[in-house]
mmCIF file of all heavy atoms in Angstrom:
data_model
loop_
_atom_site.group_PDB
_atom_site.id
_atom_site.type_symbol
_atom_site.label_atom_id
_atom_site.label_comp_id
_atom_site.label_asym_id
_atom_site.label_seq_id
_atom_site.Cartn_x
_atom_site.Cartn_y
_atom_site.Cartn_z
ATOM 1 N N GLN A 269 3.337 -0.945 -13.697
ATOM 2 C CA GLN A 269 2.147 -1.724 -14.037
ATOM 3 C C GLN A 269 2.301 -3.168 -13.584
ATOM 4 O O GLN A 269 1.379 -3.751 -13.012
ATOM 5 C CB GLN A 269 1.891 -1.678 -15.546
ATOM 6 C CG GLN A 269 1.290 -0.394 -16.031
ATOM 7 C CD GLN A 269 1.113 -0.371 -17.538
ATOM 8 O OE1 GLN A 269 1.738 -1.139 -18.267
ATOM 9 N NE2 GLN A 269 0.258 0.532 -18.008
ATOM 10 N N LYS A 270 3.462 -3.752 -13.818
ATOM 11 C CA LYS A 270 3.698 -5.137 -13.379
ATOM 12 C C LYS A 270 3.608 -5.251 -11.862
ATOM 13 O O LYS A 270 3.032 -6.194 -11.330
ATOM 14 C CB LYS A 270 5.065 -5.615 -13.856
ATOM 15 C CG LYS A 270 5.123 -5.902 -15.327
ATOM 16 C CD LYS A 270 6.507 -6.356 -15.742
ATOM 17 C CE LYS A 270 6.593 -6.507 -17.253
ATOM 18 N NZ LYS A 270 7.947 -6.873 -17.685
ATOM 19 N N LEU A 271 4.182 -4.269 -11.167
ATOM 20 C CA LEU A 271 4.173 -4.283 -9.708
ATOM 21 C C LEU A 271 2.747 -4.202 -9.162
ATOM 22 O O LEU A 271 2.363 -4.977 -8.283
ATOM 23 C CB LEU A 271 4.995 -3.103 -9.167
ATOM 24 C CG LEU A 271 4.945 -2.890 -7.657
ATOM 25 C CD1 LEU A 271 5.728 -3.990 -6.953
ATOM 26 C CD2 LEU A 271 5.493 -1.529 -7.299
ATOM 27 N N PHE A 272 1.950 -3.291 -9.698
ATOM 28 C CA PHE A 272 0.609 -3.075 -9.156
ATOM 29 C C PHE A 272 -0.400 -4.113 -9.640
ATOM 30 O O PHE A 272 -1.451 -4.275 -9.037
ATOM 31 C CB PHE A 272 0.126 -1.663 -9.486
ATOM 32 C CG PHE A 272 0.739 -0.622 -8.596
ATOM 33 C CD1 PHE A 272 1.870 0.066 -8.995
ATOM 34 C CD2 PHE A 272 0.197 -0.355 -7.361
ATOM 35 C CE1 PHE A 272 2.443 1.016 -8.173
ATOM 36 C CE2 PHE A 272 0.758 0.596 -6.528
ATOM 37 C CZ PHE A 272 1.892 1.281 -6.935
ATOM 38 N N GLN A 273 -0.115 -4.836 -10.713
ATOM 39 C CA GLN A 273 -1.054 -5.830 -11.216
ATOM 40 C C GLN A 273 -0.755 -7.233 -10.727
ATOM 41 O O GLN A 273 -1.505 -8.156 -11.016
ATOM 42 C CB GLN A 273 -1.068 -5.806 -12.749
ATOM 43 C CG GLN A 273 -1.720 -4.558 -13.295
ATOM 44 C CD GLN A 273 -1.705 -4.502 -14.808
ATOM 45 O OE1 GLN A 273 -1.127 -5.353 -15.471
ATOM 46 N NE2 GLN A 273 -2.360 -3.496 -15.365
ATOM 47 N N GLU A 274 0.314 -7.420 -9.965
ATOM 48 C CA GLU A 274 0.612 -8.735 -9.401
ATOM 49 C C GLU A 274 -0.502 -9.158 -8.450
ATOM 50 O O GLU A 274 -1.025 -8.349 -7.691
ATOM 51 C CB GLU A 274 1.924 -8.696 -8.612
ATOM 52 C CG GLU A 274 3.154 -8.825 -9.432
ATOM 53 C CD GLU A 274 4.396 -8.829 -8.557
ATOM 54 O OE1 GLU A 274 4.286 -9.051 -7.336
ATOM 55 O OE2 GLU A 274 5.478 -8.609 -9.111
ATOM 56 N N ASP A 275 -0.825 -10.429 -8.473
ATOM 57 C CA ASP A 275 -1.838 -10.957 -7.560
ATOM 58 C C ASP A 275 -1.122 -11.636 -6.400
ATOM 59 O O ASP A 275 -0.918 -12.846 -6.385
ATOM 60 C CB ASP A 275 -2.755 -11.942 -8.291
ATOM 61 C CG ASP A 275 -3.937 -12.365 -7.433
ATOM 62 O OD1 ASP A 275 -4.246 -11.652 -6.463
ATOM 63 O OD2 ASP A 275 -4.532 -13.413 -7.739
ATOM 64 N N ASN A 276 -0.691 -10.845 -5.428
ATOM 65 C CA ASN A 276 0.057 -11.389 -4.298
ATOM 66 C C ASN A 276 -0.649 -11.151 -2.959
ATOM 67 O O ASN A 276 -0.057 -11.339 -1.915
ATOM 68 C CB ASN A 276 1.469 -10.810 -4.264
ATOM 69 C CG ASN A 276 1.492 -9.306 -4.273
ATOM 70 O OD1 ASN A 276 0.450 -8.670 -4.183
ATOM 71 N ND2 ASN A 276 2.672 -8.738 -4.390
ATOM 72 N N GLY A 277 -1.903 -10.742 -2.983
ATOM 73 C CA GLY A 277 -2.675 -10.578 -1.766
ATOM 74 C C GLY A 277 -2.453 -9.268 -1.029
ATOM 75 O O GLY A 277 -3.078 -9.033 -0.003
ATOM 76 N N ILE A 278 -1.561 -8.426 -1.514
ATOM 77 C CA ILE A 278 -1.324 -7.129 -0.879
ATOM 78 C C ILE A 278 -2.304 -6.116 -1.470
ATOM 79 O O ILE A 278 -2.468 -6.054 -2.684
ATOM 80 C CB ILE A 278 0.129 -6.667 -1.135
ATOM 81 C CG1 ILE A 278 1.116 -7.654 -0.532
ATOM 82 C CG2 ILE A 278 0.362 -5.280 -0.557
ATOM 83 C CD1 ILE A 278 2.564 -7.353 -0.855
ATOM 84 N N PRO A 279 -2.965 -5.321 -0.630
ATOM 85 C CA PRO A 279 -3.879 -4.303 -1.168
ATOM 86 C C PRO A 279 -3.123 -3.304 -2.044
ATOM 87 O O PRO A 279 -1.945 -3.023 -1.817
ATOM 88 C CB PRO A 279 -4.423 -3.610 0.083
ATOM 89 C CG PRO A 279 -4.130 -4.518 1.213
ATOM 90 C CD PRO A 279 -2.952 -5.329 0.829
ATOM 91 N N VAL A 280 -3.811 -2.750 -3.011
ATOM 92 C CA VAL A 280 -3.164 -1.871 -3.987
ATOM 93 C C VAL A 280 -2.596 -0.622 -3.325
ATOM 94 O O VAL A 280 -1.577 -0.091 -3.763
ATOM 95 C CB VAL A 280 -4.128 -1.526 -5.135
ATOM 96 C CG1 VAL A 280 -5.213 -0.582 -4.674
ATOM 97 C CG2 VAL A 280 -3.396 -0.932 -6.321
ATOM 98 N N TYR A 281 -3.191 -0.160 -2.237
ATOM 99 C CA TYR A 281 -2.702 1.040 -1.578
ATOM 100 C C TYR A 281 -1.457 0.784 -0.739
ATOM 101 O O TYR A 281 -0.875 1.709 -0.192
ATOM 102 C CB TYR A 281 -3.793 1.702 -0.727
ATOM 103 C CG TYR A 281 -4.489 0.784 0.245
ATOM 104 C CD1 TYR A 281 -3.976 0.553 1.499
ATOM 105 C CD2 TYR A 281 -5.680 0.158 -0.113
ATOM 106 C CE1 TYR A 281 -4.607 -0.282 2.382
ATOM 107 C CE2 TYR A 281 -6.330 -0.678 0.766
ATOM 108 C CZ TYR A 281 -5.796 -0.893 2.016
ATOM 109 O OH TYR A 281 -6.436 -1.720 2.882
ATOM 110 N N LEU A 282 -1.006 -0.459 -0.644
ATOM 111 C CA LEU A 282 0.227 -0.784 0.072
ATOM 112 C C LEU A 282 1.316 -1.353 -0.836
ATOM 113 O O LEU A 282 2.400 -1.676 -0.367
ATOM 114 C CB LEU A 282 -0.068 -1.784 1.196
ATOM 115 C CG LEU A 282 -0.952 -1.288 2.326
ATOM 116 C CD1 LEU A 282 -1.233 -2.410 3.313
ATOM 117 C CD2 LEU A 282 -0.329 -0.113 3.026
ATOM 118 N N LYS A 283 1.031 -1.488 -2.117
ATOM 119 C CA LYS A 283 1.997 -2.100 -3.029
ATOM 120 C C LYS A 283 3.174 -1.200 -3.365
ATOM 121 O O LYS A 283 4.146 -1.651 -3.943
ATOM 122 C CB LYS A 283 1.309 -2.530 -4.327
ATOM 123 C CG LYS A 283 0.492 -3.782 -4.159
ATOM 124 C CD LYS A 283 0.013 -4.310 -5.476
ATOM 125 C CE LYS A 283 -0.750 -5.597 -5.276
ATOM 126 N NZ LYS A 283 -1.127 -6.208 -6.533
ATOM 127 N N GLY A 284 3.118 0.066 -3.007
ATOM 128 C CA GLY A 284 4.192 1.000 -3.323
ATOM 129 C C GLY A 284 5.421 0.840 -2.452
ATOM 130 O O GLY A 284 6.448 1.436 -2.715
ATOM 131 N N GLY A 285 5.327 0.074 -1.390
ATOM 132 C CA GLY A 285 6.484 -0.164 -0.531
ATOM 133 C C GLY A 285 6.317 0.423 0.855
ATOM 134 O O GLY A 285 5.209 0.664 1.338
ATOM 135 N N ILE A 286 7.452 0.657 1.490
ATOM 136 C CA ILE A 286 7.455 1.107 2.883
ATOM 137 C C ILE A 286 6.851 2.504 3.021
ATOM 138 O O ILE A 286 6.202 2.797 4.025
ATOM 139 C CB ILE A 286 8.889 1.065 3.469
ATOM 140 C CG1 ILE A 286 8.892 1.315 4.971
ATOM 141 C CG2 ILE A 286 9.790 2.054 2.799
ATOM 142 C CD1 ILE A 286 8.643 0.074 5.763
ATOM 143 N N ALA A 287 7.036 3.354 2.032
ATOM 144 C CA ALA A 287 6.473 4.706 2.106
ATOM 145 C C ALA A 287 4.953 4.647 2.126
ATOM 146 O O ALA A 287 4.302 5.391 2.874
ATOM 147 C CB ALA A 287 6.961 5.548 0.932
ATOM 148 N N ASP A 288 4.363 3.762 1.329
ATOM 149 C CA ASP A 288 2.905 3.626 1.329
ATOM 150 C C ASP A 288 2.408 3.081 2.664
ATOM 151 O O ASP A 288 1.380 3.509 3.174
ATOM 152 C CB ASP A 288 2.455 2.698 0.202
ATOM 153 C CG ASP A 288 2.435 3.388 -1.141
ATOM 154 O OD1 ASP A 288 2.624 4.613 -1.187
ATOM 155 O OD2 ASP A 288 2.226 2.690 -2.147
ATOM 156 N N ALA A 289 3.138 2.136 3.234
ATOM 157 C CA ALA A 289 2.735 1.567 4.521
ATOM 158 C C ALA A 289 2.788 2.630 5.623
ATOM 159 O O ALA A 289 1.875 2.719 6.450
ATOM 160 C CB ALA A 289 3.627 0.383 4.878
ATOM 161 N N LEU A 290 3.848 3.438 5.618
ATOM 162 C CA LEU A 290 3.955 4.494 6.627
ATOM 163 C C LEU A 290 2.872 5.556 6.450
ATOM 164 O O LEU A 290 2.280 6.021 7.429
ATOM 165 C CB LEU A 290 5.341 5.142 6.564
ATOM 166 C CG LEU A 290 6.502 4.277 7.042
ATOM 167 C CD1 LEU A 290 7.825 4.980 6.800
ATOM 168 C CD2 LEU A 290 6.344 3.939 8.509
ATOM 169 N N LEU A 291 2.607 5.919 5.229
ATOM 170 C CA LEU A 291 1.562 6.905 4.959
ATOM 171 C C LEU A 291 0.190 6.372 5.371
ATOM 172 O O LEU A 291 -0.621 7.095 5.961
ATOM 173 C CB LEU A 291 1.566 7.273 3.479
ATOM 174 C CG LEU A 291 0.631 8.384 3.046
ATOM 175 C CD1 LEU A 291 0.959 9.680 3.772
ATOM 176 C CD2 LEU A 291 0.722 8.585 1.554
ATOM 177 N N TYR A 292 -0.072 5.106 5.098
ATOM 178 C CA TYR A 292 -1.338 4.487 5.487
ATOM 179 C C TYR A 292 -1.489 4.470 7.008
ATOM 180 O O TYR A 292 -2.538 4.834 7.551
ATOM 181 C CB TYR A 292 -1.406 3.065 4.926
ATOM 182 C CG TYR A 292 -2.604 2.285 5.387
ATOM 183 C CD1 TYR A 292 -3.870 2.568 4.889
ATOM 184 C CD2 TYR A 292 -2.483 1.273 6.328
ATOM 185 C CE1 TYR A 292 -4.979 1.856 5.318
ATOM 186 C CE2 TYR A 292 -3.584 0.555 6.749
ATOM 187 C CZ TYR A 292 -4.818 0.854 6.244
ATOM 188 O OH TYR A 292 -5.915 0.144 6.666
ATOM 189 N N ARG A 293 -0.423 4.075 7.705
ATOM 190 C CA ARG A 293 -0.495 4.011 9.171
ATOM 191 C C ARG A 293 -0.653 5.391 9.791
ATOM 192 O O ARG A 293 -1.396 5.570 10.760
ATOM 193 C CB ARG A 293 0.737 3.304 9.727
ATOM 194 C CG ARG A 293 0.701 1.826 9.439
ATOM 195 C CD ARG A 293 1.856 1.094 10.044
ATOM 196 N NE ARG A 293 1.760 -0.320 9.711
ATOM 197 C CZ ARG A 293 2.801 -1.093 9.520
ATOM 198 N NH1 ARG A 293 4.019 -0.616 9.635
ATOM 199 N NH2 ARG A 293 2.633 -2.361 9.217
ATOM 200 N N ALA A 294 0.045 6.386 9.229
ATOM 201 C CA ALA A 294 -0.096 7.751 9.737
ATOM 202 C C ALA A 294 -1.508 8.269 9.509
ATOM 203 O O ALA A 294 -2.088 8.928 10.384
ATOM 204 C CB ALA A 294 0.923 8.664 9.059
ATOM 205 N N THR A 295 -2.084 7.954 8.370
ATOM 206 C CA THR A 295 -3.454 8.375 8.085
ATOM 207 C C THR A 295 -4.436 7.719 9.045
ATOM 208 O O THR A 295 -5.338 8.380 9.572
ATOM 209 C CB THR A 295 -3.820 8.015 6.629
ATOM 210 O OG1 THR A 295 -2.885 8.636 5.750
ATOM 211 C CG2 THR A 295 -5.216 8.479 6.286
ATOM 212 N N MET A 296 -4.260 6.445 9.288
ATOM 213 C CA MET A 296 -5.147 5.745 10.223
ATOM 214 C C MET A 296 -4.987 6.296 11.639
ATOM 215 O O MET A 296 -5.970 6.475 12.362
ATOM 216 C CB MET A 296 -4.867 4.241 10.220
ATOM 217 C CG MET A 296 -5.353 3.538 8.984
ATOM 218 S SD MET A 296 -7.144 3.658 8.823
ATOM 219 C CE MET A 296 -7.281 4.653 7.373
ATOM 220 N N LEU A 297 -3.764 6.569 12.045
ATOM 221 C CA LEU A 297 -3.514 7.118 13.376
ATOM 222 C C LEU A 297 -4.179 8.477 13.534
ATOM 223 O O LEU A 297 -4.848 8.737 14.545
ATOM 224 C CB LEU A 297 -2.007 7.232 13.625
ATOM 225 C CG LEU A 297 -1.594 7.791 14.976
ATOM 226 C CD1 LEU A 297 -1.965 6.813 16.083
ATOM 227 C CD2 LEU A 297 -0.114 8.077 14.984
ATOM 228 N N LEU A 298 -4.031 9.342 12.532
ATOM 229 C CA LEU A 298 -4.665 10.663 12.605
ATOM 230 C C LEU A 298 -6.186 10.562 12.581
ATOM 231 O O LEU A 298 -6.877 11.313 13.278
ATOM 232 C CB LEU A 298 -4.184 11.534 11.445
ATOM 233 C CG LEU A 298 -2.753 12.044 11.560
ATOM 234 C CD1 LEU A 298 -2.322 12.711 10.260
ATOM 235 C CD2 LEU A 298 -2.626 12.998 12.714
ATOM 236 N N THR A 299 -6.717 9.622 11.818
ATOM 237 C CA THR A 299 -8.167 9.452 11.745
ATOM 238 C C THR A 299 -8.729 8.969 13.074
ATOM 239 O O THR A 299 -9.711 9.526 13.589
ATOM 240 C CB THR A 299 -8.522 8.461 10.623
ATOM 241 O OG1 THR A 299 -7.996 8.949 9.393
ATOM 242 C CG2 THR A 299 -10.017 8.284 10.500
#
């Protein structure tokens, strides 16, 4: 909760770390 509620300018779908960033990029690439 603390990690995802921080106001640091990072979108919530990327706050999970490197795995979220890789998953997001793979999804965009496939799309």
Side-chain angles (χ1 to χ4, degrees):
Q269 283 177 341
K270 287 179 186 177
L271 173 72
F272 282 95
Q273 289 178 355
E274 278 182 17
D275 188 19
N276 54 7
I278 298 174
V280 72
Y281 52 86
L282 295 176
K283 284 189 178 185
I286 189 85
D288 281 352
L290 290 174
L291 186 60
Y292 174 73
R293 288 183 181 147
T295 303
M296 287 297 114
L297 180 68
L298 287 171
T299 302

